[in-house]
Amino acid sequence: MKKVYFTLLTIFLMSLAAKAQSYQKTQLGLKAVINATVVEIQFYSPQIVRVIKYPEKDNFQKKSLSVIKNPEKTRFSIDKKADKILLKTDALQVILNSNTGSVSFASHTGKALLNEKESGTVFTDFNDTGSKTYTVTQSFILDKKESVYGLGILQNGKMSQRNQKVHMVQNNTWDFVTFFQSDKGYGLFWDNYSPTDFSDNPEETSFKSEVGDGVDYYFMGGGNADGVIANMRGLTGQVPMFPKWTFGFWQSRERYKSQNETVEVVKKYRDLGVPLDGIIQDWQYWGDNYHWNGMSFLNPEFSKPQQMVDDIHNLNAHLIISIWSSFGPKTPQFQELKEKNMLMDFQTWPQSGKDVWPPDMNFPSGVQVYDPYNPEARDIYWKYLNKGLFSFGIDGWWMDSTEPDHLDFKPKDFDNKTFLGSFRKVRNAFPLMAVGGVYDHQREVTSDKRVFILTRSAFAGQQRYGANTWSGDVNSSWEMLRNQIPAGLNFSLCGIPYWNSDIGGFFAGAYNRGECGFWS
């Protein structure tokens, strides 16, 4: 009898081991179920591999907002040794531990690059406005002396982003990209758009996102920074060429209050013989806050917009004009979007109908942000932009507040419904969708004029939309000026090359207190 029990126990244990170590080869890599978690490894190229993990009881289906690359047909081999499953391409080695489900990455020669932490994949139940999903975490182990760069535009003055915790939710001066690259010659893109914590300490380096149906990230080799950037752009989009004039000198201020003033500034440059390629017309050409972002020259000081544009062009200069991601309640855009339930309900700029600071909340503006995740809403946005501004021959767009401004934050604000689910689920991709909507529509209308967009926020993949990101309404201080250098370098190391900053700052509070600073 004891022998029978022993035999049955042996068969049972062997079946468990076989189940834990089994895998299915797929066209792109492999799929395995380990400890009730599905692990998928998918090669997008010899140097780029996608890792997906999700609970076995669920299905995982996702169309990425950032990744546009279709997987290449990639030659790879699979070799199983003990508890390790080794996948090899001509450029990478990926090792799956069939007992723990952890994944490691190495160069084609076997040089270790990055390891997931064992038990570093965590799914925590989360109810997202009635949708049962997870808070997802993936932890990695970095070398103690390893430096990592990226994460977007960070105003922390740091070049390497080690030994810190960063809460990643887009705002005016911090533009987050859930990507970093290492001085060991690899990069990692965490493909999640919800509020995310990047954390690095001596024990682990992790991404933790508030909402996600699974872990979803891309590892890319490259050998060096240029190689990693090339792979990131191959994955999320190449950079179109800007108009040549955008590399020249522009003039801007807050703000020109009439078309006569705008044109006269250009004339003065010509009179003085100072080279000038572009001038920016900022806000309130639409009139008042109730007509906020009306995309139309309702201000009587701009009564002949076609003449203004023609005058500037005849002076051999170009015109960029301010547009926003929100609309005042007296605009036709607001009314049409409201009727179709394509506006979001949270406090944004400007909060008051009066043009005063601080806002006079006795006169609420009623301005609301639109839903750029909705393709029909993007169509409506362009319809008015094309008719009210582009038809006059305006040369480029200053897309302000593309993060967008989110004032007096309340957690329930994330419960706002978008076309793709809760605002919480897609929060950080707002600038990608808003900017992409304008780029795509302009390209559909004409190929005679290259797209140029100056924008205040960005996310992974935005480089494909003819966009230059500036670092927001920074303060006028020497410390803030210093911080722009690592901010811009880290941003460019995310694969998004075009960046600038208000050199003199925008808010002059430090200057007005007698501290060192500039006024732009």
Side-chain angles (χ1 to χ4, degrees):
M1 183 65 70
K2 289 183 178 179
K3 184 176 181 181
V4 172
Y5 284 148
F6 178 78
T7 302
L8 290 173
L9 179 61
T10 302
I11 293 172
F12 176 71
L13 292 175
M14 288 176 65
S15 67
L16 285 180
K19 183 178 180 182
Q21 296 179 7
S22 65
Y23 66 89
Q24 173 188 351
K25 185 176 181 180
T26 65
Q27 286 187 335
L28 300 181
L30 68 74
K31 181 177 182 179
V33 180
I34 303 171
N35 301 326
T37 298
V38 177
V39 180
E40 294 189 48
I41 296 173
Q42 302 176 347
F43 287 106
Y44 272 53
S45 77
Q47 293 184 311
I48 302 173
V49 59
R50 183 186 186 187
V51 176
I52 305 170
K53 299 184 181 184
Y54 56 95
E56 182 182 12
K57 62 184 177 62
D58 298 330
N59 291 317
F60 183 86
Q61 292 183 335
K62 171 181 170 184
K63 180 175 174 56
S64 177
L65 300 179
S66 294
V67 174
I68 61 173
K69 179 180 177 66
N70 292 317
E72 298 175 17
K73 187 174 182 180
T74 301
R75 291 175 51 191
F76 64 91
S77 62
I78 299 180
D79 185 21
K80 187 176 183 303
K81 294 182 180 179
D83 61 350
K84 301 292 193 300
I85 304 173
L86 173 64
L87 297 89
K88 293 181 67 174
T89 71
D90 293 338
L92 283 180
Q93 296 186 21
V94 183
I95 305 97
L96 172 63
N97 186 311
S98 59
N99 290 331
T100 66
S102 61
V103 182
S104 300
F105 306 91
S107 70
H108 70 285
T109 60
K111 178 184 176 182
L113 296 175
L114 179 67
N115 299 324
E116 287 185 353
K117 183 179 181 180
E118 289 196 6
S119 303
T121 307
V122 180
F123 303 101
T124 305
D125 289 341
F126 188 91
N127 188 323
D128 184 24
T129 64
S131 176
K132 292 183 179 180
T133 183
Y134 303 98
T135 293
V136 291
T137 306
Q138 181 62 61
S139 300
F140 304 88
I141 303 296
L142 271 63
D143 293 343
K144 289 183 178 180
K145 295 184 179 181
E146 186 175 354
S147 294
V148 296
Y149 309 100
L151 301 183
I153 298 174
L154 278 63
Q155 302 292 349
N156 58 11
K158 293 170 64 72
M159 192 61 216
S160 176
Q161 301 301 329
R162 297 298 304 269
N163 303 309
Q164 63 172 326
K165 183 174 182 178
V166 181
H167 185 57
M168 307 176 83
V169 180
Q170 308 290 17
N171 65 63
N172 186 318
T173 58
W174 295 63
D175 299 341
F176 296 108
V177 181
T178 49
F179 167 90
F180 69 79
Q181 65 161 289
S182 165
D183 58 3
K184 293 173 68 174
Y186 70 83
L188 189 145
F189 171 49
W190 177 256
D191 194 12
N192 187 292
Y193 325 117
S194 70
T196 296
D197 287 330
F198 169 84
S199 181
D200 178 78
N201 56 53
E203 285 72 45
E204 63 182 26
T205 303
S206 66
F207 284 107
K208 179 180 180 180
S209 293
E210 192 166 336
V211 174
D213 295 331
V215 165
D216 188 5
Y217 71 87
Y218 296 79
F219 178 92
M220 57 200 80
N224 54 36
D226 285 341
V228 172
I229 288 172
N231 281 320
M232 184 58 174
R233 290 184 188 161
L235 188 67
T236 62
Q238 299 298 335
V239 183
M241 185 178 292
F242 280 170
K244 187 176 180 180
W245 63 267
T246 61
F247 295 96
F249 180 72
W250 310 352
Q251 170 66 37
S252 175
R253 65 165 297 169
E254 195 290 308
R255 60 196 183 273
Y256 301 117
K257 296 183 179 180
S258 70
Q259 67 181 76
N260 181 66
E261 181 182 11
T262 306
V263 173
E264 286 300 316
V265 169
V266 180
K267 287 182 178 178
K268 189 65 175 178
Y269 271 90
R270 296 296 181 245
D271 291 343
L272 294 172
V274 176
L276 177 74
D277 286 276
I279 190 164
I280 297 176
Q281 177 59 56
D282 206 341
W283 56 325
Q284 295 299 44
Y285 60 87
W286 51 72
D288 58 65
N289 288 353
Y290 297 112
H291 291 87
W292 186 264
N293 193 36
M295 297 174 175
S296 186
F297 295 96
L298 303 176
N299 187 329
E301 295 297 328
F302 294 84
S303 60
K304 298 179 180 179
Q306 188 63 67
Q307 180 179 326
M308 176 181 70
V309 176
D310 291 344
D311 287 346
I312 291 170
H313 286 168
N314 290 335
L315 289 164
N316 197 27
H318 299 81
L319 177 64
I320 298 173
I321 198 161
S322 171
I323 54 176
W324 290 60
S325 302
S326 53
F327 296 99
K330 291 188 178 181
T331 62
Q333 296 96 317
F334 183 101
Q335 297 300 324
E336 184 170 353
L337 291 164
K338 182 78 169 178
E339 182 180 333
K340 296 183 178 182
N341 198 29
M342 296 175 182
L343 295 171
M344 288 191 273
D345 184 20
F346 56 80
Q347 289 292 308
T348 192
W349 173 268
Q351 292 174 290
S352 174
K354 289 188 173 182
D355 191 8
V356 293
W357 183 261
D360 185 345
M361 295 309 292
N362 294 311
F363 300 88
S365 69
V367 172
Q368 288 185 269
V369 170
Y370 92 111
D371 176 8
Y373 308 97
N374 189 321
E376 185 180 357
R378 296 195 296 270
D379 290 344
I380 293 170
Y381 191 97
W382 174 258
K383 177 178 69 174
Y384 289 98
L385 181 59
N386 185 35
K387 179 181 178 181
L389 296 177
F390 191 58
S391 61
F392 290 112
I394 288 172
D395 303 295
W397 313 110
W398 182 349
M399 295 189 69
D400 213 336
S401 189
T402 47
E403 64 276 357
D405 279 310
H406 190 167
L407 309 176
D408 301 336
F409 170 76
K410 300 176 180 62
K412 69 178 180 64
D413 292 345
F414 280 154
D415 294 343
N416 268 269
K417 294 292 185 181
T418 77
F419 184 77
L420 297 179
S422 74
F423 188 37
R424 178 183 296 104
K425 182 179 181 180
V426 291
R427 172 66 183 92
N428 284 333
F430 189 101
L432 177 71
M433 304 306 290
V435 170
V438 172
Y439 177 88
D440 287 340
H441 279 94
Q442 184 175 326
R443 292 293 294 168
E444 288 174 1
V445 169
T446 179
S447 60
D448 293 338
K449 180 179 290 188
R450 292 176 184 159
V451 181
F452 179 77
I453 298 170
L454 178 63
T455 178
R456 199 169 76 182
S457 192
F459 191 70
Q462 202 159 306
Q463 72 279 353
R464 65 181 182 254
Y465 290 138
N468 178 94
T469 306
W470 95 96
S471 59
D473 298 337
V474 295
N475 293 319
S476 299
S477 70
W478 289 113
E479 180 182 8
M480 184 62 80
L481 180 62
R482 176 190 178 278
N483 288 347
Q484 302 319 294
I485 299 171
L489 290 172
N490 274 289
F491 185 63
S492 66
L493 287 169
C494 294
I496 310 177
Y498 291 115
W499 172 93
N500 76 286
S501 177
D502 291 345
I503 295 175
F506 181 78
F507 288 116
Y511 176 83
N512 289 337
R513 289 197 301 270
E515 301 174 17
C516 292
F518 296 103
W519 177 247
S520 60

